[in-house]
């Protein structure tokens, strides 16, 4: 008996114009809540990408800090210059050992420069990811704004019906 009465009350709420409008308003609010959760997930993705970018930038800075030359062509030119100096200039054995050691260090830094270039490629990829995620975030903000406008309009309808009903 009680369930039948409650069931008829539920049906009567959604069958009245005010009940239908409130139901529509609640659906819009739920949609907005879902959109906000999606936006939160997009922000989390953006934070992960930012952290990756910061990590790569830090690694590149650390690698560059110990290098005189940061590009492979510059390093190769310096190696060629030093080898030419070794072949053409007469120097003491100690000076020649220093020169050879410097050439070996430059050879090692060439590998580091190649790694830097690959990290730069990774960083460029991360930047493009970041741009697309930011675009997703902007689009989600616009969707939320449009839903909020619908909610505001629906709230006015519900308020008008409530005021109309309370004056009767």
């Amino acid at each position: 008996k009680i369930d039948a009465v409650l069931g008829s009350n539920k049906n009567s709420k959604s069958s009245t114009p005010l009940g239908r409008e409130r139901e529509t308003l609640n659906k819009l609010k739920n949609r907005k809540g879902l959109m906000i959760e999606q936006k939160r997930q997009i922000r989390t993705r953006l934070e992960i990408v930012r952290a990756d970018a910061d990590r790569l930038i830090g690694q590149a800075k650390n690698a560059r800090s110990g290098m005189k030359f940061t590009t492979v062509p510059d390093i190769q030119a310096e190696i060629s210059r030093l080898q030419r100096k070794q072949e053409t200039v007469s120097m003491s054995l100690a000076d020649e050992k220093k020169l050879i050691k410097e050439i070996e260090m430059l050879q090692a830094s060439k590998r580091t420069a190649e790694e830097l270039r690959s990290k730069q490629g990774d960083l460029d990829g991360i930047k493009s990811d970041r741009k697309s995620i930011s675009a997703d975030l902007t689009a989600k903000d616009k969707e939320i704004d449009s839903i909020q406008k619908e909610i505001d309009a629906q709230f006015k309808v519900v308020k008008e019906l409530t005021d109309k009903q309370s004056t009767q």
Side-chain angles (χ1 to χ4, degrees):
K1 232 178 174 181
I2 294 175
D3 287 338
V5 171
L6 288 176
S8 66
N9 281 344
K10 282 184 181 177
N11 290 338
S12 66
K13 282 184 181 178
S14 64
S15 65
T16 66
L18 179 61
R20 284 191 298 272
E21 296 301 326
R22 280 188 176 152
E23 193 175 309
T24 303
L25 179 64
N26 287 334
K27 285 179 183 177
L28 286 172
K29 285 181 179 180
N30 289 339
R31 237 174 81 200
K32 180 183 175 188
L34 181 65
M35 294 280 185
I36 289 173
E37 181 57 35
Q38 290 171 349
K39 180 180 174 182
R40 206 173 282 128
Q41 291 171 357
I42 292 171
R43 279 197 186 280
T44 302
R45 281 187 13 230
L46 185 62
E47 290 302 318
I48 290 169
V49 169
R50 277 188 182 148
D52 287 348
D54 291 344
R55 180 183 49 79
L56 279 177
I57 289 170
Q59 288 175 352
K61 281 182 183 179
N62 287 340
R64 255 187 262 118
S65 67
M67 296 172 58
K68 289 181 186 177
F69 304 97
T70 56
T71 64
V72 175
D74 291 345
I75 293 170
Q76 192 58 47
E78 183 65 13
I79 289 172
S80 297
R81 187 186 72 77
L82 292 175
Q83 286 174 338
R84 194 170 33 259
K85 182 179 178 181
Q86 179 188 11
E87 294 167 358
T88 58
V89 176
S90 68
M91 57 184 86
S92 69
L93 187 58
D95 288 341
E96 193 167 349
K97 283 184 179 180
K98 284 181 189 176
L99 193 66
I100 291 171
K101 194 169 193 171
E102 192 171 343
I103 289 172
E104 289 172 355
M105 286 176 52
L106 285 169
Q107 292 286 3
S109 69
K110 194 188 320 185
R111 285 187 291 279
T112 306
E114 289 170 352
E115 290 174 12
L116 275 174
R117 191 175 55 206
S118 74
K119 283 182 184 176
Q120 186 61 43
D122 293 346
L123 194 57
D124 292 342
I126 286 176
K127 284 181 182 178
S128 67
D129 287 350
R130 201 162 148 182
K131 283 181 183 178
S132 70
I133 292 172
S134 293
D136 290 348
L137 199 59
T138 303
K140 194 56 69 177
D141 281 338
K142 288 179 182 177
E143 286 181 52
I144 290 172
D145 289 345
S146 71
I147 288 178
Q148 184 59 45
K149 286 178 184 175
E150 289 179 41
I151 288 173
D152 292 344
Q154 189 64 31
F155 184 74
K156 285 180 184 176
V157 170
V158 169
K159 187 170 179 5
E160 287 172 7
L161 285 175
T162 305
D163 291 346
K164 190 178 188 182
Q165 200 174 39
S166 65
T167 58
Q168 288 179 350

